[in-house]
């Protein structure tokens, strides 16, 4: 029902297997299952792409950015109905539901074609130029959120933010210079997924507090759950 009101929205859900990647694309009058070959080095490609993005390594960024687009998105997007193509007057929306290591891939930063050898990041063909991109955890949760009535005026909070932050003995300073402290960096709490260790976002508390200020400037309510308060119980109880 909700997609009927959003004809330019396409939901793309990934299921990564050992040898194949199954992709469901769902839209208005559109449902398709794609079966894609899984590169044996997919995890390495994602890691190399992220590293190139952080290190501003242009050559590797372009190589892996286009390679991952060809593997994960091009076969799906080229089969979308015409009304959902980027040539339409309204920019289409992609709701991406990743799986496994795809959660660590910023799809909007992928490249839709291989550019000339001109290291100008402003002119690269990013996917975000063709689509509005958002993410979700599952089709079930997405459907539930779509079916919930909008409660703009009734909601006590227009924004709720959660950030577990760090295993550190004091709240993070709003000054970015605080992050030059080696002890602060070494105190970052890490998460382990499939035997790999990942460090949490460093500036999450500062970002949430800036968002809180923006909502206050527009007379909107907001509530933050930081550190130990960013718990599953609080999320279940307070998230809309």
């Amino acid at each position: 029902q909700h997609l009927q009101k959003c004809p330019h929205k396409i939901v793309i859900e990934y299921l990564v297997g050992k040898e194949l990647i199954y992709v469901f694309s769902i839209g208005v009058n559109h449902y398709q299952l794609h079966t894609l070959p899984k590169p044996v080095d997919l995890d390495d490609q994602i890691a190399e792409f992220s590293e190139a993005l952080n290190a501003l390594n242009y050559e590797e960024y372009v190589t892996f950015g286009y390679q991952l687009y060809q593997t994960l998105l091009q076969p799906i997007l080229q089969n979308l109905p015409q009304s959902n193509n980027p040539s339409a007057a309204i920019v289409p929306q992609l709701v991406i539901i990743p799986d496994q290591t795809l959660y660590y891939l910023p799809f909007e930063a992928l490249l839709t074609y291989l550019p000339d050898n001109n290291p100008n990041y402003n002119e690269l063909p990013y996917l975000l130029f063709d689509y509005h991109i958002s993410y979700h955890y599952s089709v079930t949760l997405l459907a539930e959120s779509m079916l919930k009535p909008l409660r703009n005026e009734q909601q006590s909070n227009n924004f709720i933010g959660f950030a577990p932050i760090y295993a550190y003995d004091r709240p993070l300073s709003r000054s970015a210079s605080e992050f030059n402290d080696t002890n602060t960096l070494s105190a970052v709490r890490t998460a382990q997924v499939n035997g790999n260790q990942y460090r949490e976002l460093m500036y999450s508390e500062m970002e949430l507090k800036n968002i809180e200020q923006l909502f206050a400037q527009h007379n909107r309510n907001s509530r933050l759950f930081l550190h130990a308060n960013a718990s599953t119980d609080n999320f279940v109880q307070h998230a809309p």
Side-chain angles (χ1 to χ4, degrees):
Q1 288 180 335
H2 182 84
L3 287 176
Q4 292 291 339
K5 301 178 181 179
C6 305
H8 296 276
K9 178 177 289 187
I10 292 291
V11 179
I12 298 178
E13 181 178 26
Y14 290 89
L15 178 60
V16 180
K18 290 184 178 181
E19 298 179 353
L20 296 172
I21 302 174
Y22 302 95
V23 188
F24 300 89
S25 59
I26 308 168
V28 176
N29 300 322
H30 169 76
Y31 178 86
Q32 191 168 0
L33 169 62
H34 308 262
T35 304
L36 308 178
K38 177 187 176 183
V40 294
D41 62 341
L42 177 63
D43 292 354
D44 292 334
Q45 289 184 32
I46 293 174
E48 292 287 348
F49 177 72
S50 298
E51 184 176 339
L53 178 61
N54 292 328
L56 296 180
N57 185 324
Y58 179 84
E59 183 175 348
E60 290 195 357
Y61 178 83
V62 168
T63 299
F64 290 107
Y66 181 56
Q67 187 171 318
L68 287 166
Y69 171 78
Q70 286 182 301
T71 300
L72 298 171
L73 273 175
Q74 190 174 52
I76 291 89
L77 298 181
Q78 67 186 8
N79 288 317
L80 291 181
Q82 183 64 34
S83 61
N84 291 301
N85 284 339
S87 58
I90 299 177
V91 178
Q93 304 173 41
L94 299 183
V95 181
I96 295 175
I97 302 175
D99 185 38
Q100 297 188 22
T101 53
L102 298 185
Y103 274 104
Y104 304 101
L105 178 64
F107 282 79
E108 62 272 15
L110 299 181
L111 304 180
T112 56
Y113 61 85
L114 199 60
D116 297 331
N117 190 21
N118 177 21
N120 187 340
Y121 285 91
N122 293 330
E123 299 178 0
L124 290 179
Y126 301 109
L127 183 67
L128 62 83
F129 289 154
D130 293 335
Y131 297 90
H132 292 309
I133 298 174
S134 60
Y135 298 88
H136 218 283
Y137 296 103
S138 74
V139 170
T140 301
L141 292 175
L142 176 61
E144 290 180 357
S145 66
M146 287 179 172
L147 293 175
K148 284 184 178 180
L150 297 178
R151 302 172 295 173
N152 292 334
E153 303 303 328
Q154 293 79 16
Q155 282 183 330
S156 58
N157 296 298
N158 299 107
F159 173 81
I160 299 179
F162 293 83
I165 321 294
Y166 313 94
Y168 195 50
D169 59 0
R170 63 182 174 82
L172 206 59
S173 169
R174 295 191 181 192
S175 172
S177 63
E178 293 286 336
F179 294 105
N180 294 326
D181 182 359
T182 304
N183 293 329
T184 302
L185 293 175
S186 64
V188 173
R189 190 172 67 193
T190 59
Q192 198 165 31
V193 180
N194 296 330
N196 297 318
Q197 210 168 30
Y198 300 92
R199 196 165 61 186
E200 294 185 8
L201 295 173
M202 295 182 57
Y203 299 96
S204 54
E205 179 177 5
M206 182 167 57
E207 289 177 351
L208 286 183
K209 289 182 176 178
N210 287 338
I211 293 173
E212 182 182 37
Q213 290 180 355
L214 289 174
F215 271 79
Q217 291 172 8
H218 293 277
N219 297 318
R220 295 296 184 93
N221 298 321
S222 62
R223 185 172 183 181
L224 306 184
F225 292 89
L226 307 175
H227 301 279
N229 291 325
S231 64
T232 302
D233 290 341
N234 278 333
F235 180 84
V236 172
Q237 180 179 354
H238 297 283

